[in-house]
Each structure stands twice: as structure tokens, then as C-alpha cells.
Coordinates of all heavy atoms in Angstrom, one line a residue:
M158 N 26.6 42.4 -11.3 CA 25.8 42.0 -12.5 C 25.7 40.4 -12.5 O 24.7 39.9 -12.6 CB 26.4 42.5 -13.8 CG 25.5 42.3 -15.0 SD 23.9 43.0 -14.8 CE 23.0 42.3 -16.2
L159 N 27.0 39.8 -12.4 CA 27.0 38.4 -12.4 C 26.2 37.8 -11.2 O 25.4 36.9 -11.4 CB 28.5 37.9 -12.3 CG 28.7 36.4 -12.6 CD1 28.5 36.2 -14.0 CD2 30.1 36.1 -12.2
D160 N 26.4 38.5 -10.0 CA 25.6 38.0 -8.9 C 24.1 38.1 -9.1 O 23.4 37.2 -8.7 CB 26.0 38.9 -7.6 CG 27.2 38.4 -7.0 OD1 27.6 37.2 -7.3 OD2 27.8 39.1 -6.2
Q161 N 23.7 39.2 -9.7 CA 22.3 39.4 -9.9 C 21.7 38.3 -10.9 O 20.6 37.8 -10.6 CB 22.1 40.7 -10.6 CG 21.5 41.7 -9.6 CD 21.2 43.1 -10.2 OE1 21.5 43.3 -11.4 NE2 20.7 44.0 -9.4
Q162 N 22.6 37.9 -11.9 CA 22.1 36.9 -12.8 C 21.9 35.6 -12.1 O 20.9 34.9 -12.4 CB 23.2 36.7 -13.9 CG 22.9 37.7 -15.1 CD 23.9 37.5 -16.2 OE1 24.9 36.9 -16.0 NE2 23.5 38.0 -17.4
S163 N 22.9 35.2 -11.3 CA 22.8 33.9 -10.7 C 21.6 33.9 -9.7 O 20.9 32.9 -9.5 CB 24.1 33.4 -10.0 OG 24.5 34.4 -9.1
F164 N 21.4 35.0 -9.0 CA 20.3 35.1 -8.1 C 19.0 34.9 -8.9 O 18.1 34.2 -8.4 CB 20.3 36.5 -7.4 CG 19.2 36.7 -6.5 CD1 19.1 36.0 -5.3 CD2 18.1 37.5 -6.9 CE1 18.0 36.2 -4.4 CE2 17.0 37.6 -6.0 CZ 17.0 37.0 -4.8
G165 N 19.0 35.6 -10.0 CA 17.8 35.5 -10.9 C 17.5 34.0 -11.3 O 16.4 33.6 -11.2
R166 N 18.6 33.3 -11.6 CA 18.4 31.9 -12.0 C 17.8 31.0 -10.8 O 17.0 30.2 -11.0 CB 19.7 31.4 -12.5 CG 19.5 30.2 -13.5 CD 20.9 29.8 -14.1 NE 21.5 30.9 -14.8 CZ 22.8 31.2 -14.8 NH1 23.6 30.4 -14.2 NH2 23.3 32.2 -15.5
V167 N 18.4 31.3 -9.7 CA 17.9 30.5 -8.5 C 16.5 30.8 -8.2 O 15.7 29.8 -8.1 CB 18.8 30.9 -7.2 CG1 18.1 30.3 -6.0 CG2 20.2 30.3 -7.4
S168 N 16.1 32.0 -8.3 CA 14.7 32.2 -7.9 C 13.7 31.7 -9.0 O 12.6 31.4 -8.8 CB 14.4 33.7 -7.6 OG 14.9 34.5 -8.6
R169 N 14.3 31.7 -10.3 CA 13.5 31.1 -11.3 C 13.3 29.6 -11.1 O 12.2 29.1 -11.3 CB 14.2 31.3 -12.7 CG 13.3 31.4 -13.9 CD 14.0 31.7 -15.1 NE 14.0 30.6 -16.0 CZ 13.0 30.3 -16.8 NH1 11.9 31.0 -16.9 NH2 13.1 29.2 -17.6
M170 N 14.3 28.9 -10.7 CA 14.2 27.5 -10.4 C 13.2 27.3 -9.2 O 12.4 26.4 -9.2 CB 15.6 26.9 -10.0 CG 16.3 26.4 -11.2 SD 18.0 25.9 -10.9 CE 17.8 24.6 -9.7
D171 N 13.3 28.2 -8.3 CA 12.4 28.1 -7.1 C 11.0 28.2 -7.6 O 10.1 27.5 -7.2 CB 12.7 29.3 -6.2 CG 13.4 28.8 -4.9 OD1 13.9 27.7 -4.9 OD2 13.3 29.5 -3.9
A172 N 10.8 29.2 -8.5 CA 9.4 29.5 -9.0 C 8.9 28.2 -9.7 O 7.8 27.9 -9.6 CB 9.4 30.7 -9.8
M173 N 9.8 27.6 -10.5 CA 9.4 26.4 -11.3 C 9.1 25.3 -10.3 O 8.1 24.6 -10.6 CB 10.5 26.0 -12.2 CG 10.5 26.8 -13.5 SD 12.0 26.7 -14.5 CE 12.0 25.0 -14.9
Q174 N 9.9 25.1 -9.3 CA 9.6 24.1 -8.3 C 8.2 24.3 -7.6 O 7.4 23.4 -7.4 CB 10.7 24.0 -7.3 CG 11.8 23.0 -7.7 CD 13.0 23.1 -6.8 OE1 13.0 23.8 -5.8 NE2 14.0 22.3 -7.1
Q175 N 8.0 25.6 -7.3 CA 6.7 25.9 -6.7 C 5.6 25.6 -7.6 O 4.5 25.1 -7.2 CB 6.7 27.5 -6.3 CG 7.6 27.9 -5.2 CD 7.2 27.4 -3.9 OE1 6.0 27.3 -3.7 NE2 8.1 27.2 -3.0
H176 N 5.8 25.9 -8.9 CA 4.8 25.7 -9.9 C 4.5 24.2 -10.0 O 3.3 23.8 -10.1 CB 5.3 26.2 -11.2 CG 4.2 26.3 -12.2 ND1 3.1 27.1 -12.2 CD2 4.1 25.5 -13.4 CE1 2.3 26.8 -13.2 NE2 2.9 25.9 -14.0
E177 N 5.5 23.4 -10.0 CA 5.4 21.9 -10.1 C 4.6 21.4 -8.9 O 3.7 20.6 -9.0 CB 6.7 21.2 -10.2 CG 7.4 21.3 -11.5 CD 6.5 20.8 -12.6 OE1 6.0 19.6 -12.5 OE2 6.3 21.5 -13.6
L178 N 5.0 21.9 -7.7 CA 4.3 21.5 -6.5 C 2.8 21.9 -6.6 O 1.9 21.1 -6.2 CB 5.0 22.3 -5.3 CG 4.7 21.7 -3.9 CD1 5.4 20.3 -3.9 CD2 5.3 22.6 -2.9
A179 N 2.6 23.1 -7.0 CA 1.2 23.6 -7.1 C 0.4 22.7 -8.1 O -0.8 22.3 -7.8 CB 1.1 25.0 -7.6
K180 N 1.1 22.3 -9.2 CA 0.4 21.4 -10.2 C 0.1 20.1 -9.6 O -1.0 19.5 -9.8 CB 1.3 21.3 -11.4 CG 1.0 22.3 -12.4 CD 1.4 21.9 -13.8 CE 2.9 21.5 -13.9 NZ 3.4 21.5 -15.3
S181 N 1.0 19.5 -8.8 CA 0.7 18.2 -8.3 C -0.3 18.2 -7.2 O -1.2 17.4 -7.0 CB 2.0 17.4 -7.8 OG 2.5 18.1 -6.7
N182 N -0.3 19.3 -6.4 CA -1.4 19.5 -5.4 C -2.7 19.6 -6.1 O -3.7 19.1 -5.7 CB -1.2 20.8 -4.7 CG -0.2 20.6 -3.5 OD1 0.0 19.5 -3.1 ND2 0.3 21.7 -2.9
Y183 N -2.7 20.4 -7.2 CA -4.0 20.6 -8.0 C -4.5 19.3 -8.5 O -5.7 19.0 -8.3 CB -3.7 21.5 -9.2 CG -4.9 21.8 -10.1 CD1 -5.9 22.6 -9.6 CD2 -4.9 21.1 -11.3 CE1 -7.0 22.8 -10.5 CE2 -6.0 21.4 -12.1 CZ -7.0 22.2 -11.7 OH -8.1 22.4 -12.5
R184 N -3.6 18.4 -9.0 CA -4.1 17.1 -9.5 C -4.6 16.3 -8.4 O -5.6 15.6 -8.5 CB -2.9 16.4 -10.2 CG -2.7 16.7 -11.7 CD -1.8 15.8 -12.4 NE -0.5 15.9 -11.9 CZ 0.4 16.6 -12.4 NH1 0.2 17.4 -13.5 NH2 1.7 16.7 -11.9
Y185 N -3.9 16.4 -7.2 CA -4.4 15.6 -6.1 C -5.8 16.0 -5.7 O -6.7 15.2 -5.5 CB -3.4 15.8 -4.9 CG -3.9 15.2 -3.6 CD1 -3.8 13.8 -3.4 CD2 -4.4 16.0 -2.6 CE1 -4.3 13.3 -2.2 CE2 -4.8 15.4 -1.4 CZ -4.8 14.1 -1.2 OH -5.2 13.5 0.0
Y186 N -6.0 17.3 -5.6 CA -7.3 17.8 -5.2 C -8.4 17.5 -6.2 O -9.6 17.3 -5.9 CB -7.3 19.3 -4.8 CG -6.6 19.5 -3.5 CD1 -5.4 20.2 -3.3 CD2 -7.2 18.9 -2.3 CE1 -4.8 20.3 -2.1 CE2 -6.5 19.1 -1.1 CZ -5.4 19.8 -1.0 OH -4.7 19.9 0.2
Q187 N -8.0 17.6 -7.5 CA -8.9 17.2 -8.6 C -9.4 15.8 -8.4 O -10.6 15.5 -8.5 CB -8.3 17.3 -9.9 CG -8.1 18.7 -10.4 CD -9.4 19.3 -10.8 OE1 -10.0 20.1 -10.1 NE2 -9.9 19.1 -12.0
T188 N -8.5 14.9 -8.1 CA -8.9 13.5 -7.8 C -9.8 13.3 -6.6 O -10.8 12.7 -6.7 CB -7.6 12.6 -7.6 OG1 -6.7 12.9 -8.7 CG2 -7.9 11.1 -7.7
Q189 N -9.4 14.0 -5.5 CA -10.2 14.0 -4.3 C -11.6 14.5 -4.6 O -12.6 13.9 -4.2 CB -9.6 14.8 -3.2 CG -8.3 14.2 -2.7 CD -8.6 12.9 -1.9 OE1 -8.4 11.8 -2.4 NE2 -9.2 13.0 -0.7
L190 N -11.7 15.6 -5.3 CA -12.9 16.2 -5.6 C -13.8 15.3 -6.4 O -15.0 15.2 -6.2 CB -12.7 17.5 -6.4 CG -13.9 18.4 -6.7 CD1 -14.5 18.9 -5.4 CD2 -13.5 19.5 -7.6
K191 N -13.2 14.6 -7.4 CA -14.0 13.6 -8.2 C -14.6 12.5 -7.3 O -15.7 12.2 -7.4 CB -13.1 13.0 -9.2 CG -13.7 13.2 -10.6 CD -12.7 12.7 -11.7 CE -12.1 13.9 -12.4 NZ -11.0 13.6 -13.3
E192 N -13.8 12.0 -6.3 CA -14.2 11.0 -5.4 C -15.4 11.5 -4.6 O -16.4 10.8 -4.4 CB -13.1 10.6 -4.5 CG -12.0 9.8 -5.2 CD -12.4 8.4 -5.6 OE1 -13.0 7.7 -4.8 OE2 -12.1 8.1 -6.8
V193 N -15.3 12.7 -4.1 CA -16.3 13.3 -3.3 C -17.6 13.5 -4.1 O -18.7 13.2 -3.6 CB -15.9 14.6 -2.6 CG1 -17.0 15.3 -1.9 CG2 -14.8 14.3 -1.6
E194 N -17.4 14.0 -5.3 CA -18.6 14.1 -6.2 C -19.3 12.8 -6.4 O -20.5 12.8 -6.4 CB -18.2 14.7 -7.5 CG -18.0 16.3 -7.5 CD -17.4 16.9 -8.7 OE1 -17.0 16.1 -9.6 OE2 -17.4 18.1 -8.8
L195 N -18.5 11.8 -6.6 CA -19.1 10.4 -6.8 C -19.8 10.0 -5.6 O -20.9 9.4 -5.6 CB -18.0 9.4 -7.2 CG -17.6 9.4 -8.6 CD1 -16.3 8.5 -8.8 CD2 -18.7 8.9 -9.5
A196 N -19.3 10.3 -4.4 CA -19.9 10.0 -3.1 C -21.2 10.7 -3.0 O -22.2 10.1 -2.6 CB -19.0 10.3 -2.0
I197 N -21.2 11.9 -3.4 CA -22.5 12.7 -3.3 C -23.5 12.1 -4.2 O -24.7 12.0 -3.9 CB -22.2 14.2 -3.6 CG1 -21.4 14.8 -2.5 CG2 -23.5 15.0 -3.7 CD1 -20.8 16.2 -2.8
K198 N -23.1 11.7 -5.4 CA -24.0 11.1 -6.3 C -24.6 9.8 -5.8 O -25.8 9.6 -5.9 CB -23.3 10.9 -7.7 CG -24.2 10.5 -8.8 CD -23.5 10.2 -10.1 CE -24.4 9.7 -11.2 NZ -25.1 8.5 -10.7
R199 N -23.8 9.0 -5.1 CA -24.3 7.8 -4.6 C -25.2 8.1 -3.4 O -26.1 7.3 -3.2 CB -23.1 6.9 -4.1 CG -22.3 6.3 -5.3 CD -21.5 5.1 -4.9 NE -20.7 5.3 -3.7 CZ -19.6 6.0 -3.7 NH1 -19.1 6.5 -4.8 NH2 -18.9 6.1 -2.5
M200 N -25.0 9.2 -2.7 CA -25.9 9.5 -1.6 C -27.3 9.8 -2.2 O -28.3 9.4 -1.7 CB -25.5 10.8 -0.9 CG -24.4 10.5 0.1 SD -23.9 12.1 1.0 CE -22.2 11.7 1.4
D201 N -27.3 10.5 -3.4 CA -28.6 10.7 -4.1 C -29.2 9.4 -4.5 O -30.5 9.3 -4.4 CB -28.3 11.6 -5.3 CG -28.0 13.0 -4.9 OD1 -28.2 13.4 -3.8 OD2 -27.5 13.8 -5.8
D202 N -28.4 8.5 -4.9 CA -29.0 7.2 -5.4 C -29.3 6.3 -4.2 O -29.7 5.1 -4.5 CB -28.0 6.5 -6.3 CG -27.7 7.3 -7.6 OD1 -28.6 8.2 -7.9 OD2 -26.7 7.1 -8.3
E203 N -29.0 6.7 -3.0 CA -29.1 5.9 -1.8 C -28.3 4.6 -1.9 O -28.6 3.6 -1.3 CB -30.6 5.6 -1.6 CG -31.4 6.8 -1.2 CD -32.8 6.6 -0.9 OE1 -33.2 5.4 -0.9 OE2 -33.5 7.5 -0.6
E204 N -27.2 4.7 -2.6 CA -26.2 3.6 -2.6 C -25.0 3.9 -1.7 O -24.1 3.1 -1.6 CB -25.7 3.4 -4.1 CG -26.7 2.7 -4.9 CD -26.3 2.7 -6.4 OE1 -25.1 2.9 -6.7 OE2 -27.1 2.5 -7.3
Y205 N -25.1 5.1 -1.2 CA -23.9 5.5 -0.4 C -23.8 4.7 0.9 O -24.8 4.4 1.5 CB -24.1 7.0 0.0 CG -22.9 7.5 0.8 CD1 -21.7 7.7 0.2 CD2 -23.0 7.8 2.1 CE1 -20.6 8.1 0.9 CE2 -21.9 8.2 2.9 CZ -20.7 8.4 2.2 OH -19.6 8.8 2.9
G206 N -22.6 4.3 1.2 CA -22.4 3.6 2.5 C -22.4 2.1 2.3 O -22.2 1.3 3.2
Y207 N -22.6 1.7 1.0 CA -22.5 0.2 0.7 C -21.4 0.0 -0.2 O -21.1 0.7 -1.1 CB -23.8 -0.2 0.0 CG -25.0 -0.1 1.0 CD1 -25.8 1.0 1.0 CD2 -25.2 -1.1 1.9 CE1 -26.8 1.1 1.9 CE2 -26.3 -1.0 2.8 CZ -27.1 0.1 2.8 OH -28.1 0.2 3.7
C208 N -20.7 -1.2 0.0 CA -19.6 -1.6 -0.8 C -20.0 -1.8 -2.2 O -21.0 -2.4 -2.5 CB -18.9 -2.8 -0.2 SG -17.6 -3.5 -1.2
E209 N -19.2 -1.2 -3.2 CA -19.6 -1.4 -4.6 C -19.4 -2.8 -5.1 O -19.9 -3.2 -6.1 CB -18.8 -0.4 -5.4 CG -19.3 1.0 -5.5 CD -18.7 1.8 -6.5 OE1 -17.7 1.4 -7.1 OE2 -19.1 3.0 -6.7
E210 N -18.6 -3.6 -4.3 CA -18.3 -4.9 -4.8 C -19.2 -6.0 -4.2 O -19.7 -6.8 -4.9 CB -16.8 -5.2 -4.7 CG -16.2 -5.4 -6.0 CD -14.7 -5.5 -6.0 OE1 -14.2 -6.4 -5.3 OE2 -14.1 -4.7 -6.7
C211 N -19.2 -6.0 -2.9 CA -20.0 -7.0 -2.3 C -21.4 -6.6 -1.8 O -22.2 -7.4 -1.4 CB -19.2 -7.7 -1.1 SG -18.9 -6.6 0.2
G212 N -21.6 -5.2 -1.8 CA -22.9 -4.7 -1.4 C -23.1 -4.7 0.1 O -24.1 -4.3 0.6
E213 N -22.0 -5.0 0.9 CA -22.1 -5.0 2.3 C -22.1 -3.5 2.8 O -21.5 -2.6 2.1 CB -20.9 -5.6 2.9 CG -20.9 -7.2 2.9 CD -22.0 -7.7 3.9 OE1 -22.0 -7.3 5.0 OE2 -22.8 -8.5 3.4
E214 N -22.7 -3.3 3.9 CA -22.7 -1.9 4.5 C -21.3 -1.6 4.9 O -20.6 -2.4 5.6 CB -23.7 -1.9 5.6 CG -24.3 -0.5 5.8 CD -25.4 -0.5 6.9 OE1 -26.1 -1.5 7.0 OE2 -25.4 0.5 7.6
I215 N -20.8 -0.4 4.6 CA -19.5 0.0 5.0 C -19.6 0.6 6.4 O -20.5 1.5 6.6 CB -18.9 1.1 4.1 CG1 -18.7 0.5 2.7 CG2 -17.5 1.6 4.6 CD1 -18.3 1.4 1.6
P216 N -18.8 0.2 7.4 CA -19.0 0.7 8.8 C -18.9 2.2 8.8 O -18.1 2.8 8.1 CB -17.8 0.1 9.5 CG -17.4 -1.1 8.7 CD -17.7 -0.8 7.3
A217 N -19.7 2.8 9.7 CA -19.8 4.3 9.8 C -18.4 4.8 10.2 O -18.1 5.9 9.7 CB -20.8 4.6 10.8
A218 N -17.7 4.1 11.0 CA -16.3 4.6 11.4 C -15.4 4.8 10.2 O -14.6 5.7 10.2 CB -15.7 3.6 12.4
R219 N -15.5 3.8 9.3 CA -14.7 3.9 8.1 C -15.1 5.1 7.2 O -14.3 5.8 6.7 CB -14.8 2.6 7.3 CG -14.0 2.5 6.0 CD -13.9 1.1 5.5 NE -13.6 1.0 4.1 CZ -12.3 1.2 3.6 NH1 -11.4 1.5 4.4 NH2 -12.1 1.1 2.3
L220 N -16.4 5.3 7.1 CA -16.9 6.4 6.3 C -16.6 7.7 7.0 O -16.4 8.7 6.3 CB -18.4 6.3 6.2 CG -18.9 5.2 5.2 CD1 -20.4 5.1 5.3 CD2 -18.5 5.5 3.8
A221 N -16.5 7.7 8.3 CA -16.1 9.0 9.0 C -14.7 9.4 8.7 O -14.4 10.6 8.5 CB -16.3 8.8 10.5
V222 N -13.8 8.4 8.5 CA -12.4 8.7 8.2 C -12.3 9.0 6.8 O -11.6 10.0 6.4 CB -11.5 7.5 8.6 CG1 -10.1 7.8 8.3 CG2 -11.7 7.2 10.1
K223 N -12.9 8.2 5.9 CA -12.8 8.5 4.5 C -14.2 8.5 3.8 O -14.6 7.4 3.4 CB -11.9 7.4 3.8 CG -10.4 7.6 4.0 CD -9.6 6.7 3.1 CE -9.6 7.2 1.7 NZ -8.8 6.4 0.8
P224 N -14.8 9.6 3.8 CA -16.2 9.7 3.4 C -16.4 9.2 1.9 O -17.5 8.9 1.5 CB -16.6 11.1 3.5 CG -15.6 11.7 4.4 CD -14.3 10.9 4.2
E225 N -15.3 9.2 1.2 CA -15.4 8.9 -0.3 C -15.2 7.5 -0.6 O -15.2 7.1 -1.8 CB -14.5 9.9 -1.1 CG -13.1 9.5 -1.0 CD -12.4 10.1 0.2 OE1 -13.1 10.5 1.2 OE2 -11.1 10.2 0.2
V226 N -15.0 6.6 0.4 CA -14.6 5.2 0.1 C -15.8 4.5 -0.6 O -17.0 4.8 -0.3 CB -14.2 4.4 1.4 CG1 -12.9 4.8 1.9 CG2 -15.3 4.4 2.4
R227 N -15.5 3.6 -1.5 CA -16.5 2.9 -2.2 C -16.5 1.4 -1.9 O -17.4 0.7 -2.3 CB -16.3 3.1 -3.7 CG -16.8 4.4 -4.2 CD -16.5 4.6 -5.7 NE -15.1 5.1 -5.8 CZ -14.5 5.2 -7.0 NH1 -15.1 4.9 -8.1 NH2 -13.3 5.7 -7.0
L228 N -15.5 1.0 -1.2 CA -15.3 -0.5 -0.9 C -15.2 -0.7 0.6 O -14.7 0.1 1.3 CB -14.1 -1.0 -1.6 CG -14.0 -0.9 -3.1 CD1 -12.7 -1.3 -3.6 CD2 -15.1 -1.8 -3.8
C229 N -15.7 -1.9 1.0 CA -15.5 -2.2 2.4 C -14.1 -2.6 2.6 O -13.3 -2.8 1.6 CB -16.5 -3.4 2.8 SG -16.0 -4.9 2.0
V230 N -13.7 -2.8 3.8 CA -12.3 -3.0 4.1 C -11.7 -4.3 3.4 O -10.7 -4.2 2.8 CB -12.1 -3.2 5.7 CG1 -10.6 -3.4 6.0 CG2 -12.5 -1.9 6.4
S231 N -12.5 -5.4 3.4 CA -12.0 -6.6 2.8 C -11.9 -6.5 1.3 O -10.9 -7.0 0.7 CB -12.8 -7.8 3.3 OG -14.1 -7.6 3.0
C232 N -12.8 -5.8 0.7 CA -12.7 -5.7 -0.8 C -11.6 -4.7 -1.1 O -10.9 -4.9 -2.1 CB -14.0 -5.1 -1.4 SG -15.4 -6.3 -1.3
Q233 N -11.4 -3.7 -0.3 CA -10.3 -2.8 -0.6 C -9.0 -3.5 -0.5 O -8.1 -3.3 -1.3 CB -10.3 -1.7 0.5 CG -9.3 -0.6 0.4 CD -9.6 0.4 -0.7 OE1 -10.7 1.0 -0.7 NE2 -8.8 0.6 -1.7
Q234 N -8.9 -4.4 0.5 CA -7.6 -5.2 0.6 C -7.4 -6.1 -0.6 O -6.3 -6.3 -1.0 CB -7.7 -6.0 1.9 CG -7.3 -5.2 3.1 CD -7.6 -5.8 4.5 OE1 -8.3 -6.9 4.5 NE2 -7.2 -5.3 5.5
N235 N -8.4 -6.6 -1.1 CA -8.3 -7.4 -2.4 C -7.7 -6.6 -3.5 O -7.1 -7.2 -4.4 CB -9.6 -8.0 -2.8 CG -10.1 -9.0 -1.8 OD1 -9.3 -9.6 -1.1 ND2 -11.4 -9.3 -1.9
H236 N -8.0 -5.3 -3.5 CA -7.5 -4.4 -4.6 C -6.0 -4.0 -4.4 O -5.4 -3.5 -5.3 CB -8.4 -3.2 -4.7 CG -9.6 -3.5 -5.4 ND1 -9.8 -3.2 -6.8 CD2 -10.8 -4.1 -5.0 CE1 -11.0 -3.6 -7.2 NE2 -11.6 -4.1 -6.1
E237 N -5.6 -4.1 -3.1 CA -4.2 -3.6 -2.8 C -3.2 -4.6 -3.0 O -3.4 -5.8 -3.3 CB -4.2 -2.9 -1.4 CG -4.8 -1.5 -1.5 CD -5.2 -1.0 -0.1 OE1 -4.9 -1.7 0.9 OE2 -5.8 0.1 0.0
Ligands
ZN345 ZN1 -17.0 -5.3 0.0

């Protein structure tokens, strides 16, 4: 009985950890999704592929790696 109880507690903690993990994954994907939605919106506006700050064209290679980027490399560096 005692063994069963402690086993139950462990798996409950496990489940809670899993739940926390799922929640943080969910938040991560929500953020990513928002970025992608914004990117799609900018494609509609034909602003996609241009830096939001300096208006320079973002290199295609950079867009290929991170399609949702809004800033060119140098403006991004200014933010970091
Ligand atoms: Zn820029």
C-alpha cells in the first residue's frame, strides 16, 4: 500500500512536469505562429522581405533560414 502511494506520487509529479513542458512548448509555438502570421500578412502587403527598420531588402538566404524575420542582420544586431 505504501509502495503504491509513493509510486502514485512519482507519476503525478511526472505528469505535472509533462504538463509544464507541454505548456511551454505550446507558448513557444503560439509565438512562432504569430510571427508566421505576421510574415504572411506582410507578403500580402508586399512588404515581405524588407527590413522593418531600414527598409533594406533582407537577403534570401536569411529568409530561407528564418522566414519570419522582420529585420536585416545589422538591425537585428542593434536589437540584441
Ligand atoms: Zn535593417
Side-chain angles (χ1 to χ4, degrees):
M158 189 58 192
L159 194 67
D160 277 345
Q161 256 182 359
Q162 270 182 344
S163 59
F164 177 75
R166 205 173 300 143
V167 167
S168 49
R169 207 176 112 82
M170 270 171 63
D171 251 20
M173 277 164 65
Q174 271 171 1
Q175 291 288 332
H176 189 68
E177 284 304 308
L178 199 65
K180 271 204 300 198
S181 66
N182 275 344
Y183 177 74
R184 274 194 293 269
Y185 173 75
Y186 285 116
Q187 283 289 96
T188 312
Q189 289 294 102
L190 186 64
K191 233 172 254 169
E192 291 290 313
V193 171
E194 276 172 354
L195 280 170
I197 291 168
K198 192 182 172 303
R199 289 200 311 281
M200 281 182 208
D201 288 344
D202 296 342
E203 294 185 0
E204 283 168 18
Y205 182 72
Y207 295 93
C208 174
E209 278 191 353
E210 244 172 57
C211 66
E213 284 292 310
E214 211 173 322
I215 299 171
R219 179 162 161 78
L220 287 173
V222 179
K223 281 193 81 177
E225 74 278 17
V226 288
R227 277 175 281 175
L228 300 171
C229 70
V230 180
S231 54
C232 290
Q233 182 78 56
Q234 276 167 354
N235 290 340
H236 280 263
E237 281 163 4

